[in-house]
């Protein structure tokens, strides 16, 4: 089993060439050592990454989570002012929800026309050893920020139903 990481590369020419966020060129064929690692399994296990969304200033944002240690947690990673990657934790925003658990992916993220962040994922609370895939405690959570990620709020998209999984959200 190979270690997992959340990484980033960009292409200025629709995939003909690749570079890191700072513009450093990457030789092709690119490999695991070519990417800028945003988060790795040295810190977390069970990493899952959703999509990349780009704000109006061209700054990429990556939605990812760590399934263990429990509770699972989610972050949005983005480059800081000096180009270093920073991870914005989302778990605290979910603390006031009427259900307990960890934030987990699959999920997705987008920006609206006013650069507000909208991220959809699940909150889940399985018993130890239970699979999270399709677990009945899954509820869809919408996490939002209207201040470019300085603060986040979260809400369930429907009233909780402990008998039926609500999961695999999508945003457009």
């Amino acid at each position: 089993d190979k270690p997992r990481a959340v990484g980033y590369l960009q292409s200025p020419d629709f995939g003909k060439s690749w570079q890191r966020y700072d513009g450093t060129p990457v030789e092709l064929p690119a490999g695991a050592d070519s990417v800028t690692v945003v988060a790795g399994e040295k810190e977390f296990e069970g990493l899952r990454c959703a999509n990349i969304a780009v704000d109006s200033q061209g700054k990429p944002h990556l939605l990812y989570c760590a399934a263990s240690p429990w509770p699972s947690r989610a972050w949005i990673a983005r480059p800081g002012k000096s180009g270093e990657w920073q991870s914005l934790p989302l778990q605290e925003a979910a603390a006031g929800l009427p259900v307990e658990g960890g934030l987990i992916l699959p999920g997705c993220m987008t920006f609206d026309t006013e650069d507000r962040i909208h991220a959809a994922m699940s909150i889940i609370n399985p018993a130890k050893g239970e699979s999270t895939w399709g677990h009945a405690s899954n509820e869809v959570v919408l996490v939002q920020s209207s201040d470019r990620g300085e603060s986040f709020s979260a809400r369930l998209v429907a009233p909780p139903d402990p008998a039926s999984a609500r999961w695999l959200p999508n945003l457009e």
Side-chain angles (χ1 to χ4, degrees):
D1 196 24
K2 296 180 181 179
R4 296 181 191 178
V6 175
Y8 179 81
L9 287 177
Q10 61 187 11
S11 175
D13 54 12
F14 301 102
K16 292 179 185 170
S17 66
W18 290 89
Q19 62 189 27
R20 292 182 185 85
Y21 182 73
D22 66 3
T24 305
V26 171
E27 275 192 50
L28 297 178
D33 294 338
S34 303
V35 301
T36 301
V37 174
V38 174
E41 284 207 343
K42 289 181 180 175
E43 303 104 313
F44 308 109
E45 294 180 22
L47 283 173
R48 299 177 187 176
C49 191
N51 64 315
I52 296 174
V54 179
D55 67 15
S56 65
Q57 298 173 353
K59 186 183 288 191
H61 292 65
L62 290 77
L63 176 62
Y64 72 98
C65 82
S68 66
W70 191 255
S72 55
R73 294 158 326 284
W75 296 266
I76 294 174
R78 67 177 181 197
K81 292 179 182 170
S82 303
E84 78 290 352
W85 285 85
Q86 54 185 207
S87 291
L88 311 172
L90 303 178
Q91 192 67 34
E92 188 176 303
L97 295 175
V99 295
E100 293 182 13
L103 295 176
I104 199 163
L105 300 174
C108 55
M109 172 180 53
T110 191
F111 285 89
D112 65 20
T113 57
E114 296 182 23
D115 263 353
R116 291 179 294 228
I117 299 170
H118 305 273
M121 64 202 75
S122 293
I123 189 166
I124 185 170
N125 195 11
K128 186 173 182 167
E130 287 183 323
S131 172
T132 60
W133 193 254
H135 193 274
S137 70
N138 271 289
E139 296 291 345
V140 175
V141 176
L142 182 62
V143 178
Q144 298 173 296
S145 176
S146 59
D147 55 11
R148 297 182 175 265
E150 296 301 315
S151 64
F152 291 93
S153 62
R155 65 181 175 89
L156 295 178
V157 298
D161 180 359
S164 177
R166 295 184 177 152
W167 62 316
L168 304 175
N170 191 18
L171 291 173
E172 186 175 312

